[in-house]
Amino acid sequence: MVATAFVMWFLMHFNRTMQVLKRAANRPLGYVDSAVMLNAKLKAGASLMHVIAMTRALGQLETEKGAQPEVFSWRDGSQSVVRCVFAQGKLQSWTLDRP
């Protein structure tokens, strides 16, 4: 029973991860429809996967690969930028820069 529950839990999370990444693959890197709306929706402690699911795009990595904390940015059509700082995969802080 426990093994079946674990396998079911694993499959559900694997399926969600694949769906998020499939949606993100169809969008430009670091692009979001509205940086202002993304800024309003962000909450400290959110996982990187949750932020990718909200934006439906992978963020543009601004730090060296593997460095901690990681900084990702998302830009919209008006050149507003949201920069998010992730430590160990969890959102620590973010800033909104508008032109």
Side-chain angles (χ1 to χ4, degrees), residues 20-70:
V20 167
L21 292 177
K22 188 190 307 182
R23 286 186 197 118
N26 296 327
R27 304 270 310 252
L29 187 65
Y31 179 78
V32 66
D33 291 329
S34 173
V36 175
M37 289 303 295
L38 174 61
N39 180 57
K41 290 180 181 179
L42 290 174
K43 296 192 183 335
S47 68
L48 178 58
M49 187 60 64
H50 184 77
V51 175
I52 291 172
M54 280 195 302
T55 62
R56 295 186 177 188
L58 298 174
Q60 179 70 45
L61 182 62
E62 294 188 355
T63 56
E64 291 185 28
K65 193 172 187 177
Q68 287 293 325
E70 296 174 312

Side-chain angles (χ1 to χ4, degrees), residues 4 35 37-38 53 58 67 81 83-84 89 99:
T4 303
M37 289 303 295
L38 174 61
L58 298 174
V81 179
R83 285 187 178 80
C84 299

